[in-house]
Amino acid sequence: MQPDSQSVERRFSFYPSPAEIDAWADKLLGRSKEMTVEAAFCDCNPIRLTFGNSPNTLVNRYVRFTHANGHAFYGYWQPAHKTPAPLLINLPGYGSSVSLHPQVNDDGYHILHISPLGYVEPEMVHQELALEDGNWPVLHNTAMGLADGYEDWLCDCLLAVRWALGQPGVMRERISLFGTSQGGGGSLLLASLLGKRIRCVCADLPFLTAFPLTGLQGDAYGILQKAAVTVPEREFWNRLGYVDTISHVHRLQVPVMLSAGGKDIVCPPETVEYLFERLNCTKQLTYLQQGVHTHSRESMYLFRAWLQLFA
């Protein structure tokens, strides 16, 4: 059951102010600058084709990022064929799988896919880190005020971006972000943190958007139901407010592409439309009437067109 307008308004009233969001962003940036991470290319290559040929597989490499405390997470590096070239950062959906985009890579971009928090390795999924219901804990931990929530997720992203900017042939002044679902919402949050360093964002079916509108229903927002009955209401919604893309619209001044699916019951289209209405930047919303919650061929065309315009 969807919440009534008064309930929605009350929950949004618990959200942090723009000034508090700015302070939070400054804190995360400062924290990431104080952190060090070692990065090393991996010898393993789990991408195996029994039919056909993928010559880029010989060039693309997994990267292991290791914190000083031993925590590790992974990225997948797709260098551009010709350099110098712009840098694209791709963030994962909630399943944390790494998505390969050879078409975008062949358009002339370096691409770094980031899988924060170490849920997935090249040849292993750490299912022991999941919640009892099988979902990853990052959203639940955020609402509960625990470690390994979205602050840590975003710090991993910032550290990986810093590494990518140091790679040969990368145009440091041309960084763009893209992703589907959590990858879309996370791209908007990361763009908020990095500000004018970002050229554009492609947020396909973005998760982490307008939590109060969702009724905490569905396979994604429903992850919050346990925390909602555990954490005091004001504290619960305030914590979510920091990682809601709605709270960051005043910081998003770069071109933003959004998409919504008419049959998306995971990240409902009304949440994306709510975000679109509040953005004050160059923006586009594509409403796919038959769209369900998945990365699609339409997504790929939208990504590539937006990147050609602005990246």
Side-chain angles (χ1 to χ4, degrees):
M1 184 174 64
Q2 296 301 311
D4 59 68
S5 59
Q6 289 185 336
S7 296
V8 168
E9 185 176 348
R10 185 182 73 256
R11 292 165 184 173
F12 272 125
S13 74
F14 299 142
Y15 270 30
S17 67
E20 289 172 321
I21 291 292
D22 292 342
W24 179 82
D26 289 343
K27 179 190 73 172
L28 277 189
L29 287 171
R31 174 183 164 191
S32 69
K33 289 176 181 177
E34 294 174 356
M35 299 171 71
T36 58
V37 67
E38 293 185 1
F41 286 113
C42 302
D43 292 331
C44 61
N45 183 3
I47 301 173
R48 302 180 181 91
L49 297 180
T50 56
F51 181 80
N53 182 35
S54 180
N56 287 346
T57 303
L58 302 176
V59 178
N60 301 338
R61 302 285 296 279
Y62 275 94
V63 188
R64 177 185 170 95
F65 298 98
T66 308
H67 289 260
N69 63 4
H71 161 69
F73 65 99
Y74 287 81
Y76 189 72
W77 179 241
Q78 292 178 269
H81 179 63
K82 295 182 179 180
T83 60
L87 172 65
L88 304 182
I89 303 296
N90 178 231
L91 299 181
Y94 208 80
S96 293
S97 59
V98 173
S99 298
L100 308 185
H101 295 279
Q103 304 95 325
V104 180
N105 186 216
D106 287 342
D107 285 342
Y109 305 99
H110 300 288
I111 306 176
L112 176 64
H113 311 262
I114 308 172
S115 183
L117 297 182
Y119 296 151
V120 176
E121 296 187 16
E123 297 190 273
M124 178 183 297
V125 177
H126 287 282
Q127 201 60 43
E128 75 277 6
L129 299 177
L131 299 171
E132 292 181 0
D133 62 6
N135 286 302
W136 299 119
V138 58
L139 181 59
H140 171 78
N141 287 356
T142 300
M144 293 292 293
L146 301 174
D148 294 330
Y150 275 110
E151 287 192 8
D152 293 324
W153 193 94
L154 288 164
C155 275
D156 278 358
C157 292
L158 290 168
L159 293 170
V161 170
R162 188 169 73 194
W163 172 84
L165 288 171
Q167 297 310 294
V170 170
M171 301 172 71
R172 295 175 57 88
E173 74 283 3
R174 295 180 66 176
I175 316 168
S176 297
L177 307 164
F178 72 107
T180 297
S181 190
Q182 177 187 244
S187 292
L188 291 164
L189 296 178
L190 193 55
S192 169
L193 293 174
L194 293 173
K196 294 181 179 179
R197 301 188 68 183
I198 300 302
R199 298 270 295 194
C200 69
V201 181
C202 303
D204 178 40
L205 312 172
F207 186 38
L208 308 175
T209 297
F211 289 103
L213 292 182
T214 68
L216 306 185
Q217 300 298 310
D219 292 341
Y221 293 102
I223 295 169
L224 289 164
Q225 290 180 6
K226 183 176 180 180
V229 298
T230 305
V231 180
E233 183 184 34
R234 179 179 294 274
E235 194 171 351
F236 174 81
W237 292 106
N238 182 260
R239 287 172 178 168
L240 291 179
Y242 281 98
V243 297
D244 191 325
T245 60
I246 301 299
S247 297
H248 293 259
V249 293
H250 70 289
R251 298 175 57 88
L252 294 169
Q253 301 302 318
V254 300
V256 171
M257 184 218 85
L258 302 174
S259 66
K263 294 186 177 180
D264 188 345
I265 60 174
V266 179
C267 295
E270 55 266 25
T271 62
V272 185
E273 293 165 352
Y274 189 88
L275 170 63
F276 180 77
E277 291 170 0
R278 284 154 182 78
L279 284 170
N280 185 26
C281 59
T282 297
K283 58 184 180 178
Q284 172 183 293
L285 170 60
T286 300
Y287 180 84
L288 301 166
Q289 187 173 13
Q290 303 301 316
V292 297
H293 194 75
T294 185
H295 177 64
S296 64
R297 178 177 290 181
E298 290 85 353
S299 307
M300 182 61 65
Y301 281 111
L302 291 169
F303 287 164
R304 296 175 75 186
W306 199 251
L307 293 169
Q308 286 181 21
L309 281 172
F310 299 110

